Amino acid sequence: MPDALDATPYDALLLLSFGGPEGPDDVVPFLENVTRGRGIPKERLKEVGQHYFRFGGVSPINAQNRALLDALREDFAAHGLDLPVHWGNRNWAPYLTDTLREMAADGRRRILVLATSAYASYSGCRQYRENLADALAALEADGLDLPRVDKLRHYFNHPGFVEPMIEGVLRSLAELPDDVRDGAHIAFTTHSIPTAAADTSGPVEGHGDGGAYVRQHLDVARLIADAVRERTGVDHPWQLVYQSRSGAPHIPWLEPDICDHLEERHAAGVPAVVMAPVGFVSDHMEVLYDLDTEAAAKAHELGLPVRRSATVGADPRFAAAIRELILERASAERGERVTPCALGGLGAGHDVCPVGCCPGRAPRPAAAGADSPYA
């Protein structure tokens, strides 16, 4: 048996994700949850829901989260980390509030949260923290003793997140025809967000010019491109591009869009493209539809050979990275000296989100940060 690893003061891990429908009847109610408060008509939601209906109304994110849960539990058991793992979602069952209520009833007092978003942004970090605050407020209204909830730091540059993506790009390059492989361009993709939200992502001192969101993605893209060059001897050109825009046309969002980028690269004479979705943890709907369906159709129309590399998903190295991040944070909470593990030029991110980090349009309480009402 492996020696026991010490996660104290923490007594549970919560996997916190976006959620998704499990069948056709779930699609519109799920989208109503996602867009609540925005006044979007049901007919419009049915139109948006076609992305899900073409896949049987089932979002792949739920199966992917279950696979990640299994990978985490298997890794923890193999390495002697006695830490139960729970799962809660923002927008579909199992709902975050229900999961936290069960954890509190089971006596969990110090909970670490793993969000399925690796980068700093309002939608990728603070909104999850706001959801945690909402859930804790609901538990407080029920008269329950509240657990303390902390969030694991951003893991975009942890080796266990980066290395599987490097191998994914290498596999995709190897799948291209021999005559176009060496000239292939790498399009690193992530979710487009409003430029105003990008500019205010991360701590206040780094706001502006895309903020932490753009800087972090560029750092990961450089890491992968450099590793590909070192392992193949070929210096592939690359660019960070965006996908999945959903906002009003008059509001500026990060560009270029992946489909526009494919057109531009084809016009420039690029012989092939590898699309590398570095902004996503798993192959969920936005990867399957926006890349494997829309972008692939655009490439076919252009006659441009493309391959799409894999996300990290439930890769054992990612599960090991989460274990390492848990032990790193636990040691820091115990007052021990810690050397965080991080690649690239930005270093390890903060453990506790500072005041003013990734603000929303309207101030709302957010847990697991310096401004948390539930310290």
Side-chain angles (χ1 to χ4, degrees):
M1 292 291 292
D3 294 334
L5 299 177
D6 188 6
T8 55
Y10 297 106
D11 55 16
L13 177 71
L14 170 61
L15 176 66
L16 176 54
S17 192
F18 192 80
E22 301 267 28
D25 292 342
D26 297 343
V27 172
V28 172
F30 162 73
L31 292 173
E32 288 175 333
N33 287 343
V34 174
T35 61
R36 180 168 289 115
R38 301 183 198 173
I40 299 177
K42 182 170 287 190
E43 291 306 311
R44 173 58 182 152
L45 295 180
K46 290 180 180 177
E47 293 176 20
V48 175
Q50 293 305 314
H51 294 184
Y52 291 95
F53 291 131
R54 70 182 296 146
F55 292 95
V58 179
S59 170
I61 196 171
N62 300 310
Q64 290 159 6
N65 279 328
R66 293 184 183 103
L68 179 55
L69 289 167
D70 290 343
L72 290 169
R73 289 166 178 151
E74 181 177 341
D75 178 90
F76 292 1
H79 291 86
L81 178 58
D82 184 16
L83 193 70
V85 184
H86 301 258
W87 173 31
N89 291 322
R90 288 168 47 186
N91 298 300
W92 202 249
Y95 286 103
L96 169 60
T97 300
D98 295 337
T99 300
L100 266 184
R101 185 179 289 112
E102 293 170 3
M103 296 175 75
D106 287 344
R108 306 301 175 192
R109 309 309 310 149
R110 290 291 300 272
I111 299 170
L112 259 179
V113 176
L114 164 63
T116 53
S117 176
Y119 301 86
S121 70
Y122 171 74
S123 57
C125 185
R126 186 175 178 89
Q127 191 170 18
Y128 282 97
R129 294 177 47 227
E130 291 175 352
N131 296 145
L132 284 166
D134 291 342
L136 290 169
L139 267 60
E140 189 173 41
D142 291 343
L144 296 174
D145 291 334
L146 298 185
R148 174 171 165 176
V149 176
D150 294 329
K151 180 177 175 292
L152 284 173
R153 65 175 174 88
H154 300 131
Y155 46 84
F156 66 94
N157 57 1
H158 193 286
F161 186 70
V162 175
E163 183 60 34
M165 293 191 292
I166 294 171
E167 291 190 1
V169 171
L170 291 170
R171 282 194 298 270
S172 292
L173 286 167
E175 291 169 2
L176 287 169
D178 292 347
D179 60 336
V180 299
R181 183 181 303 125
D182 285 354
H185 170 88
I186 305 174
F188 294 103
T189 78
T190 190
H191 205 302
S192 183
I193 61 175
T195 55
D199 289 345
T200 57
S201 58
V204 172
E205 61 270 18
H207 286 180
D209 196 25
Y213 188 74
V214 171
R215 284 194 295 275
Q216 290 172 356
H217 281 88
L218 286 173
D219 203 43
V220 169
R222 289 189 192 97
L223 282 167
I224 297 173
D226 288 349
V228 168
R229 183 184 64 251
E230 290 167 5
R231 299 182 196 187
T232 66
V234 179
D235 191 6
H236 291 273
W238 62 270
Q239 186 172 338
L240 177 64
V241 302
Y242 303 93
Q243 62 175 91
S244 312
R245 174 181 173 141
S246 59
H250 67 281
I251 298 175
W253 282 52
L254 293 173
E255 295 178 336
D257 176 77
I258 177 61
C259 289
D260 296 337
H261 183 65
L262 292 176
E263 288 188 335
E264 188 272 333
R265 290 291 80 205
H266 178 257
V270 166
V273 173
V274 168
M275 300 182 293
V278 296
F280 306 93
V281 171
S282 64
D283 289 3
H284 54 56
M285 185 58 69
E286 286 166 322
V287 175
L288 293 186
Y289 186 80
D290 296 325
L291 294 184
D292 293 357
T293 305
E294 281 197 331
K298 172 59 69 175
H300 180 74
E301 172 192 321
L302 296 168
L304 178 67
V306 295
R307 297 293 186 274
R308 197 267 293 172
S309 65
T311 53
V312 297
D315 190 288
R317 289 165 294 186
F318 183 45
I322 300 308
R323 168 174 41 84
E324 292 169 7
L325 288 168
I326 291 167
L327 296 175
E328 172 193 300
R329 180 63 182 274
S331 295
E333 290 293 313
R334 295 194 301 265
E336 299 168 5
R337 188 185 181 100
V338 175
T339 302
C341 185
L343 300 174
L346 298 180
H350 47 255
D351 279 336
V352 179
C353 293
V355 175
C357 192
C358 303
R361 286 172 292 183
R364 288 184 55 199
D371 54 355
S372 171
Y374 299 103

